[in-house]
Amino acid sequence: MISKKDLAEWSSAGMVFVSGGLAGHYASLGMSPVQWAGAAAAVLGSVTVAVVVRVWQAPVKAKSSVGD
């Protein structure tokens, strides 16, 4: 069975692949400098998401002492 962590990792990797592919495709067709900046921001943003998904730790669940 696929865990939430695996799903998040593969989804973020897919986002990097798709955003890079779209940026490259539209770059080959010709883009203005503003469009280049937007494409670079999209790719860097998706890479940031992929890194955060892999590095960020799950919150630690504390045991409650109420009701003991």
Side-chain angles (χ1 to χ4, degrees):
M1 186 163 179
I2 298 174
S3 68
K4 287 182 182 180
K5 184 177 186 304
D6 289 338
L7 181 62
E9 287 181 358
W10 281 100
S11 297
S12 64
M15 185 170 60
V16 171
F17 180 76
V18 169
S19 66
L22 285 173
H25 170 71
Y26 286 113
S28 70
L29 298 177
M31 295 193 312
S32 70
V34 174
Q35 290 172 323
W36 272 99
V43 172
L44 289 174
S46 63
V47 169
T48 301
V49 169
V51 170
V52 167
V53 164
R54 285 163 179 74
V55 173
W56 204 284
Q57 295 180 1
V60 177
K61 295 183 180 180
K63 293 185 180 180
S64 174
S65 61
V66 177
D68 285 342

